[in-house]
Amino acid sequence: GKGVLELGSSHGLAAMVAHAAGALQVLATDQRAVLSYLADNVAANPQHSIEVATLEWGTDMEAWGAQHGWDWGTVLGADLTFNRDSFLPLLFTLQQLLSRSSSPKHMRCALLLHDDDSVPGGHRLRVDFFAAAAPRYFNVAQANL
């Protein structure tokens, strides 16, 4: 799948960068409470062709997948790992998205970025997610950007 899906988009920046880099289909998602902000920001940047949708992590995604499809070869997320309570719902959602992708298995990926300095204890949260929680479900590799 050539589709790119951004989780926890907030302002949609990663989705806009994906579109600018050549992604043919881009979907920016976030919680219902944030969706109007996201939609307004995407609308204010009409040079990017991006769809916007609600996606609540940790929920059964059958209906969501029927509406938005499963053709997401790449899942993006920035600063999603600052709340330990969200770790398992995020991992469950990633597992559903990537396991149902039509992309060949070796081509599916999730690129999650974490800024240690965004919140107090950011370093500890990064280690807890990427070194402890995520490896139980996925192959995790660090990319120093």
Side-chain angles (χ1 to χ4, degrees):
K2 296 190 189 287
V4 174
L5 183 140
E6 182 185 11
L7 295 174
S9 299
S10 182
H11 44 62
L13 180 60
M16 290 182 216
V17 170
H19 181 260
L24 301 177
Q25 180 183 12
V26 181
L27 179 62
T29 66
D30 214 317
Q31 302 171 48
R32 187 172 318 285
V34 181
L35 209 62
S36 64
Y37 172 73
L38 172 59
D40 289 347
N41 202 39
V42 166
N45 292 279
Q47 70 274 27
H48 299 291
S49 177
I50 298 169
E51 293 180 52
V52 172
T54 301
L55 178 53
E56 303 288 342
W57 302 346
T59 60
D60 180 16
M61 295 182 55
E62 284 302 319
W64 190 92
Q67 182 177 359
H68 301 288
W70 298 106
D71 199 23
W72 310 107
T74 303
V75 178
L76 302 175
D79 293 338
L80 305 179
T81 55
F82 292 127
N83 178 353
R84 280 185 185 84
D85 292 339
S86 72
F87 287 6
L88 287 179
L90 172 58
L91 290 166
F92 179 74
T93 299
L94 284 168
Q95 194 171 44
Q96 288 184 88
L97 288 167
L98 294 172
S99 68
R100 295 172 181 235
S101 173
S102 63
S103 295
K105 214 170 199 179
H106 70 280
M107 297 294 291
R108 300 176 200 167
C109 82
L111 176 60
L112 304 180
L113 306 173
H114 177 98
D115 178 6
D116 283 354
D117 299 324
S118 291
V119 297
H123 168 75
R124 182 78 247 153
L125 290 164
R126 176 177 48 81
V127 170
D128 289 352
F129 183 81
F130 291 102
R136 288 186 233 154
Y137 304 93
F138 298 99
N139 294 323
V140 176
Q142 181 173 331
N144 295 315
L145 304 174

